[in-house]
Amino acid sequence: MRKVKTERLTYNYRKAARFLRYGVLAFFGIAVLTCILNIVFLISAGVVYEKKEAWYIYGERVMEALTLTQNGYTLDGKMAEEFEKNDQWAMLLDENGRVIWSIRKPEELKEQYSGPEIARMSKWYLEGYPVQMRVWDDRIMIVGMQKETMWKYNIEFSIPWMEFVKQTILIFFLINFIWVAALAFIFTKRFMRNRECARIEWIAGISHDIRTPLSVVMGYADTLEHSEGLPGEARQQAAVIRHQSVVMKELIADLNLTSQLEYSMQALRKEKVRPAEVVRSVAASFLNDSLPGELKMDVQIEKDAELLCVNADRQLFARVFRNLINNSIKHGGKREPVEIKIALWEERGKCLIRLEDNGAGYSEEVLRRLRSRKKAASGGNIRGLEIVKKIILAHGGKIRFGNGEEGGGYCLIRLRQMKR
Amino acid sequence: MNLYDCKILLVDDEKPLRDMVGSFLRGAGFHKVTMAADCLEAEELFALKEPHLVLLDVMLPDGDGFSLFKKLREFSEVPVIFLSARDEDQSRLRGLGLGADDYITKPFLPEELLLRVTAVLKRVYRVKGMQEKEVIALGRCTVDLGSGVATWNREAKDSTEMTLTAKEYAILQKLAQERGRIVTIDALCDAVWREENYGYENTLVVHIRRLREKIEEDPSHPKYLLTVRGLGYRLV
């Protein structure tokens, strides 16, 4: 079980890297968004507060509007109107707690207040009326509102607690930040997976739909090619159609395989595979299908390597060698005969396979594209090699392409060995 | 029974494909080809025509080929060749194993289809033309694969017979099947020892040597059973 898990991990490495990239992007995106949101919130809260402030009258303004004349205190007319409008009231106490001035004071309230009463209303309510207090020289200005219009609460914290908060507030925010980031990551991952699934299904669907009409094209082209009644030229043309249809068939299969390898792991049906056997059988089938003298294969398998096993998808594993040999034949530089050397050996517990041809070697451009990590839009002669690379990487192996000293191109594959 | 008298039922929802395959099969000599477009029609026609072989598309409008296949298997052992348009089906078909006789991935060339159809029909119904090629000629030596006896005509009258061992017989049969083509060591081991055939390479060499002693004029310079270095053997 554990082994399977590790393999999955290796396979998932590239996927994880991609998710990580998107995760980091999403993380910063969300961080910036949070900042913007906070700023917007603060500003709008400020605006709302500003407006709210004008809603009720507080002590300072009353004190400014109140003037002491010979006839006692007089309130500015505008202020008095405002009191009316806001349904508020106010009173001024002297140093003994006696009411020396008031406006709209509820009748139930007393004319004089004791020290304890004043202390109490300074924090809470006066007979249920919410009040604000301002000390004005030796007097106390009390501005009140109607009952049930204002919520008041006193908070206090001990100094050590505030110290503790000061110290931990950073960690607290960090934890919040991480939590948000993790959430973003999970959502990104889910989003990516959905998108990938959709894409794989789309490609699989398209390739499925193309296959049936292509069968018909291939079938009739083949029939025409072999039909005796047609002139030679027409039959030649039918042969070209058939051949091109076969090329299309391979393209579709490649497309499907590439998308499967890129985005899902269901494409791999791993089993115990002996590379020696696969290499031999692929090499033999190429020799069997080639004309005499056209192709030379030199398969060297060390005695110890005979029994090497790897955990691989047999079909895909054979595909690796078919593609590599095909590439050597098609793009090796047309040197006749094409010579391909395949060696298989064990090194430090790994299974190594090296395939070398006598062609012109890989061009700089091809090597650069094969070595790049980018998922470049592949095409032309490199497609087969990219599939090789993808298959090997999907099996958790390593692959290197290069040119030998004598000119031919080589490909070195390193795979983890499986215990027999 | 003649191979071409076999009745074939073709089930595929795509009319152009049906027409193409049908016309090709008829052109190849199979004159009893029936066609169905979906599961329902296929079942009806199956009961009516009792075909010898069913060519079955995996994706059908009213169900998939696999379930139709299982349904047919409940009361019939008729050979079935699947036509599949998805790569994913291949593995499922391989895993299925329980009686689908073969499968072909679309798109296919008509010869490919014909080859499989005839192979399956020959195997299942043992129609004529199968047992005749069982004698292989290797220069002055002829081997009868029916009896496993190698007969030598050294001089016109003088002939000696040598019986092949079971292993030698299996090796020669495999090579004869693929005559002219390279058969890898692994394929030979598989033919001879079946399961768990690792590590028999050395033993195989011994058997090949003994076989050469029986069929080659000069076993150290073989003319018919050739070694392909690093890969396997070839019977020419």
Side-chain angles (χ1 to χ4, degrees), chain A residues 246-271:
Chain A
V246 174
V247 172
M248 267 165 79
K249 167 193 170 164
E250 279 159 12
L251 283 175
I252 292 162
D254 279 359
L255 172 72
N256 211 7
L257 177 64
T258 313
S259 97
Q260 297 269 340
L261 281 175
E262 192 72 60
Y263 297 112
S264 96
M265 37 190 313
Q266 273 114 43
L268 293 184
R269 280 178 184 78
K270 286 188 180 179
E271 55 181 320

mmCIF file of all heavy atoms in Angstrom, chain A residues 246-271:
data_model
loop_
_atom_site.group_PDB
_atom_site.id
_atom_site.type_symbol
_atom_site.label_atom_id
_atom_site.label_comp_id
_atom_site.label_asym_id
_atom_site.label_seq_id
_atom_site.Cartn_x
_atom_site.Cartn_y
_atom_site.Cartn_z
ATOM 1 N N VAL A 246 -4.452 6.816 -42.206
ATOM 2 C CA VAL A 246 -3.710 6.104 -41.152
ATOM 3 C C VAL A 246 -2.905 7.106 -40.328
ATOM 4 O O VAL A 246 -2.840 7.012 -39.099
ATOM 5 C CB VAL A 246 -2.801 5.010 -41.769
ATOM 6 C CG1 VAL A 246 -1.936 4.376 -40.704
ATOM 7 C CG2 VAL A 246 -3.641 3.962 -42.471
ATOM 8 N N VAL A 247 -2.335 8.101 -41.018
ATOM 9 C CA VAL A 247 -1.581 9.140 -40.303
ATOM 10 C C VAL A 247 -2.514 9.875 -39.334
ATOM 11 O O VAL A 247 -2.177 10.113 -38.170
ATOM 12 C CB VAL A 247 -0.947 10.137 -41.304
ATOM 13 C CG1 VAL A 247 -0.328 11.316 -40.563
ATOM 14 C CG2 VAL A 247 0.108 9.439 -42.142
ATOM 15 N N MET A 248 -3.723 10.189 -39.815
ATOM 16 C CA MET A 248 -4.690 10.878 -38.965
ATOM 17 C C MET A 248 -5.077 10.035 -37.765
ATOM 18 O O MET A 248 -5.221 10.526 -36.649
ATOM 19 C CB MET A 248 -5.945 11.212 -39.767
ATOM 20 C CG MET A 248 -5.899 12.578 -40.378
ATOM 21 S SD MET A 248 -7.156 12.765 -41.619
ATOM 22 C CE MET A 248 -8.579 13.051 -40.624
ATOM 23 N N LYS A 249 -5.232 8.762 -38.020
ATOM 24 C CA LYS A 249 -5.577 7.832 -36.942
ATOM 25 C C LYS A 249 -4.514 7.884 -35.844
ATOM 26 O O LYS A 249 -4.821 7.964 -34.655
ATOM 27 C CB LYS A 249 -5.671 6.423 -37.533
ATOM 28 C CG LYS A 249 -5.716 5.304 -36.537
ATOM 29 C CD LYS A 249 -5.492 3.980 -37.225
ATOM 30 C CE LYS A 249 -5.308 2.902 -36.177
ATOM 31 N NZ LYS A 249 -5.455 1.561 -36.725
ATOM 32 N N GLU A 250 -3.255 7.892 -36.280
ATOM 33 C CA GLU A 250 -2.171 7.945 -35.298
ATOM 34 C C GLU A 250 -2.162 9.272 -34.553
ATOM 35 O O GLU A 250 -1.905 9.323 -33.348
ATOM 36 C CB GLU A 250 -0.831 7.710 -35.989
ATOM 37 C CG GLU A 250 -0.578 6.228 -36.214
ATOM 38 C CD GLU A 250 0.440 5.955 -37.298
ATOM 39 O OE1 GLU A 250 1.114 6.900 -37.730
ATOM 40 O OE2 GLU A 250 0.524 4.782 -37.715
ATOM 41 N N LEU A 251 -2.448 10.338 -35.288
ATOM 42 C CA LEU A 251 -2.488 11.661 -34.653
ATOM 43 C C LEU A 251 -3.551 11.704 -33.556
ATOM 44 O O LEU A 251 -3.315 12.221 -32.468
ATOM 45 C CB LEU A 251 -2.792 12.738 -35.685
ATOM 46 C CG LEU A 251 -1.648 13.153 -36.590
ATOM 47 C CD1 LEU A 251 -2.125 14.135 -37.634
ATOM 48 C CD2 LEU A 251 -0.545 13.779 -35.755
ATOM 49 N N ILE A 252 -4.707 11.139 -33.869
ATOM 50 C CA ILE A 252 -5.800 11.151 -32.893
ATOM 51 C C ILE A 252 -5.413 10.345 -31.657
ATOM 52 O O ILE A 252 -5.617 10.769 -30.523
ATOM 53 C CB ILE A 252 -7.085 10.583 -33.515
ATOM 54 C CG1 ILE A 252 -7.594 11.530 -34.592
ATOM 55 C CG2 ILE A 252 -8.150 10.368 -32.463
ATOM 56 C CD1 ILE A 252 -8.566 10.876 -35.528
ATOM 57 N N ALA A 253 -4.810 9.183 -31.915
ATOM 58 C CA ALA A 253 -4.396 8.346 -30.786
ATOM 59 C C ALA A 253 -3.380 9.089 -29.928
ATOM 60 O O ALA A 253 -3.451 9.073 -28.695
ATOM 61 C CB ALA A 253 -3.812 7.037 -31.309
ATOM 62 N N ASP A 254 -2.450 9.796 -30.593
ATOM 63 C CA ASP A 254 -1.425 10.558 -29.869
ATOM 64 C C ASP A 254 -2.052 11.664 -29.041
ATOM 65 O O ASP A 254 -1.703 11.879 -27.889
ATOM 66 C CB ASP A 254 -0.439 11.196 -30.858
ATOM 67 C CG ASP A 254 0.603 10.192 -31.307
ATOM 68 O OD1 ASP A 254 0.531 9.041 -30.823
ATOM 69 O OD2 ASP A 254 1.451 10.546 -32.120
ATOM 70 N N LEU A 255 -2.991 12.344 -29.652
ATOM 71 C CA LEU A 255 -3.657 13.454 -28.969
ATOM 72 C C LEU A 255 -4.348 12.968 -27.703
ATOM 73 O O LEU A 255 -4.202 13.532 -26.621
ATOM 74 C CB LEU A 255 -4.681 14.083 -29.916
ATOM 75 C CG LEU A 255 -5.601 15.143 -29.317
ATOM 76 C CD1 LEU A 255 -4.817 16.410 -29.060
ATOM 77 C CD2 LEU A 255 -6.776 15.416 -30.224
ATOM 78 N N ASN A 256 -5.064 11.885 -27.867
ATOM 79 C CA ASN A 256 -5.792 11.321 -26.740
ATOM 80 C C ASN A 256 -4.837 10.886 -25.637
ATOM 81 O O ASN A 256 -5.021 11.198 -24.467
ATOM 82 C CB ASN A 256 -6.606 10.132 -27.231
ATOM 83 C CG ASN A 256 -7.866 9.949 -26.444
ATOM 84 O OD1 ASN A 256 -8.210 10.782 -25.613
ATOM 85 N ND2 ASN A 256 -8.542 8.855 -26.671
ATOM 86 N N LEU A 257 -3.786 10.202 -26.049
ATOM 87 C CA LEU A 257 -2.815 9.701 -25.076
ATOM 88 C C LEU A 257 -2.133 10.863 -24.358
ATOM 89 O O LEU A 257 -1.973 10.844 -23.135
ATOM 90 C CB LEU A 257 -1.780 8.832 -25.801
ATOM 91 C CG LEU A 257 -0.671 8.290 -24.921
ATOM 92 C CD1 LEU A 257 -1.245 7.346 -23.878
ATOM 93 C CD2 LEU A 257 0.370 7.572 -25.752
ATOM 94 N N THR A 258 -1.758 11.876 -25.124
ATOM 95 C CA THR A 258 -1.082 13.020 -24.516
ATOM 96 C C THR A 258 -1.964 13.663 -23.458
ATOM 97 O O THR A 258 -1.506 13.954 -22.364
ATOM 98 C CB THR A 258 -0.729 14.071 -25.587
ATOM 99 O OG1 THR A 258 -0.126 13.398 -26.677
ATOM 100 C CG2 THR A 258 0.224 15.098 -25.058
ATOM 101 N N SER A 259 -3.241 13.852 -23.798
ATOM 102 C CA SER A 259 -4.113 14.516 -22.828
ATOM 103 C C SER A 259 -4.322 13.639 -21.607
ATOM 104 O O SER A 259 -4.359 14.104 -20.486
ATOM 105 C CB SER A 259 -5.438 14.903 -23.481
ATOM 106 O OG SER A 259 -6.422 13.948 -23.225
ATOM 107 N N GLN A 260 -4.409 12.352 -21.817
ATOM 108 C CA GLN A 260 -4.583 11.437 -20.690
ATOM 109 C C GLN A 260 -3.355 11.474 -19.780
ATOM 110 O O GLN A 260 -3.475 11.481 -18.566
ATOM 111 C CB GLN A 260 -4.769 10.005 -21.188
ATOM 112 C CG GLN A 260 -6.009 9.811 -22.018
ATOM 113 C CD GLN A 260 -7.198 9.403 -21.182
ATOM 114 O OE1 GLN A 260 -7.033 8.915 -20.080
ATOM 115 N NE2 GLN A 260 -8.385 9.616 -21.688
ATOM 116 N N LEU A 261 -2.198 11.487 -20.403
ATOM 117 C CA LEU A 261 -0.962 11.463 -19.618
ATOM 118 C C LEU A 261 -0.785 12.780 -18.877
ATOM 119 O O LEU A 261 -0.303 12.810 -17.751
ATOM 120 C CB LEU A 261 0.236 11.263 -20.534
ATOM 121 C CG LEU A 261 0.489 9.838 -21.002
ATOM 122 C CD1 LEU A 261 1.619 9.819 -21.999
ATOM 123 C CD2 LEU A 261 0.810 8.932 -19.834
ATOM 124 N N GLU A 262 -1.192 13.847 -19.536
ATOM 125 C CA GLU A 262 -0.977 15.167 -18.958
ATOM 126 C C GLU A 262 -1.868 15.394 -17.743
ATOM 127 O O GLU A 262 -1.468 15.975 -16.759
ATOM 128 C CB GLU A 262 -1.276 16.220 -20.025
ATOM 129 C CG GLU A 262 -0.830 17.605 -19.670
ATOM 130 C CD GLU A 262 0.674 17.725 -19.718
ATOM 131 O OE1 GLU A 262 1.269 17.502 -20.788
ATOM 132 O OE2 GLU A 262 1.252 18.027 -18.671
ATOM 133 N N TYR A 263 -3.086 14.933 -17.820
ATOM 134 C CA TYR A 263 -4.049 15.379 -16.821
ATOM 135 C C TYR A 263 -4.630 14.312 -15.918
ATOM 136 O O TYR A 263 -5.359 14.617 -15.003
ATOM 137 C CB TYR A 263 -5.201 16.094 -17.518
ATOM 138 C CG TYR A 263 -4.762 17.327 -18.221
ATOM 139 C CD1 TYR A 263 -4.782 17.405 -19.592
ATOM 140 C CD2 TYR A 263 -4.285 18.412 -17.492
ATOM 141 C CE1 TYR A 263 -4.348 18.542 -20.231
ATOM 142 C CE2 TYR A 263 -3.853 19.538 -18.137
ATOM 143 C CZ TYR A 263 -3.889 19.610 -19.510
ATOM 144 O OH TYR A 263 -3.459 20.725 -20.128
ATOM 145 N N SER A 264 -4.363 13.058 -16.217
ATOM 146 C CA SER A 264 -4.995 12.092 -15.327
ATOM 147 C C SER A 264 -4.074 10.919 -15.111
ATOM 148 O O SER A 264 -3.126 10.716 -15.839
ATOM 149 C CB SER A 264 -6.314 11.616 -15.908
ATOM 150 O OG SER A 264 -6.128 10.418 -16.603
ATOM 151 N N MET A 265 -4.360 10.161 -14.113
ATOM 152 C CA MET A 265 -3.511 9.004 -13.901
ATOM 153 C C MET A 265 -4.232 7.710 -14.251
ATOM 154 O O MET A 265 -3.671 6.650 -14.163
ATOM 155 C CB MET A 265 -2.957 8.984 -12.494
ATOM 156 C CG MET A 265 -3.873 9.450 -11.418
ATOM 157 S SD MET A 265 -2.959 9.640 -9.889
ATOM 158 C CE MET A 265 -2.059 8.090 -9.881
ATOM 159 N N GLN A 266 -5.462 7.830 -14.665
ATOM 160 C CA GLN A 266 -6.174 6.609 -15.018
ATOM 161 C C GLN A 266 -5.586 5.934 -16.256
ATOM 162 O O GLN A 266 -5.836 4.780 -16.520
ATOM 163 C CB GLN A 266 -7.644 6.915 -15.276
ATOM 164 C CG GLN A 266 -8.448 6.872 -14.010
ATOM 165 C CD GLN A 266 -8.980 8.237 -13.688
ATOM 166 O OE1 GLN A 266 -9.443 8.938 -14.563
ATOM 167 N NE2 GLN A 266 -8.897 8.620 -12.428
ATOM 168 N N ALA A 267 -4.806 6.725 -16.997
ATOM 169 C CA ALA A 267 -4.267 6.168 -18.229
ATOM 170 C C ALA A 267 -3.235 5.078 -17.944
ATOM 171 O O ALA A 267 -2.930 4.273 -18.796
ATOM 172 C CB ALA A 267 -3.640 7.265 -19.065
ATOM 173 N N LEU A 268 -2.697 5.083 -16.718
ATOM 174 C CA LEU A 268 -1.653 4.108 -16.401
ATOM 175 C C LEU A 268 -2.242 2.845 -15.791
ATOM 176 O O LEU A 268 -2.925 2.895 -14.786
ATOM 177 C CB LEU A 268 -0.663 4.706 -15.405
ATOM 178 C CG LEU A 268 0.200 5.850 -15.908
ATOM 179 C CD1 LEU A 268 1.185 6.244 -14.831
ATOM 180 C CD2 LEU A 268 0.932 5.479 -17.163
ATOM 181 N N ARG A 269 -1.980 1.737 -16.424
ATOM 182 C CA ARG A 269 -2.384 0.454 -15.848
ATOM 183 C C ARG A 269 -1.120 -0.328 -15.564
ATOM 184 O O ARG A 269 -0.641 -1.082 -16.383
ATOM 185 C CB ARG A 269 -3.296 -0.276 -16.816
ATOM 186 C CG ARG A 269 -4.675 0.269 -16.719
ATOM 187 C CD ARG A 269 -5.653 -0.330 -17.633
ATOM 188 N NE ARG A 269 -6.898 0.391 -17.467
ATOM 189 C CZ ARG A 269 -7.130 1.585 -17.990
ATOM 190 N NH1 ARG A 269 -6.201 2.168 -18.706
ATOM 191 N NH2 ARG A 269 -8.271 2.196 -17.804
ATOM 192 N N LYS A 270 -0.622 -0.089 -14.364
ATOM 193 C CA LYS A 270 0.702 -0.621 -14.067
ATOM 194 C C LYS A 270 0.684 -2.101 -13.725
ATOM 195 O O LYS A 270 -0.241 -2.578 -13.065
ATOM 196 C CB LYS A 270 1.305 0.168 -12.909
ATOM 197 C CG LYS A 270 1.748 1.543 -13.317
ATOM 198 C CD LYS A 270 2.509 2.184 -12.197
ATOM 199 C CE LYS A 270 2.972 3.565 -12.593
ATOM 200 N NZ LYS A 270 3.688 4.190 -11.485
ATOM 201 N N GLU A 271 1.691 -2.775 -14.178
ATOM 202 C CA GLU A 271 1.875 -4.180 -13.832
ATOM 203 C C GLU A 271 3.372 -4.460 -13.855
ATOM 204 O O GLU A 271 4.168 -3.595 -14.199
ATOM 205 C CB GLU A 271 1.139 -5.065 -14.842
ATOM 206 C CG GLU A 271 1.541 -4.792 -16.282
ATOM 207 C CD GLU A 271 0.776 -5.655 -17.271
ATOM 208 O OE1 GLU A 271 0.559 -6.826 -16.979
ATOM 209 O OE2 GLU A 271 0.408 -5.135 -18.338
#
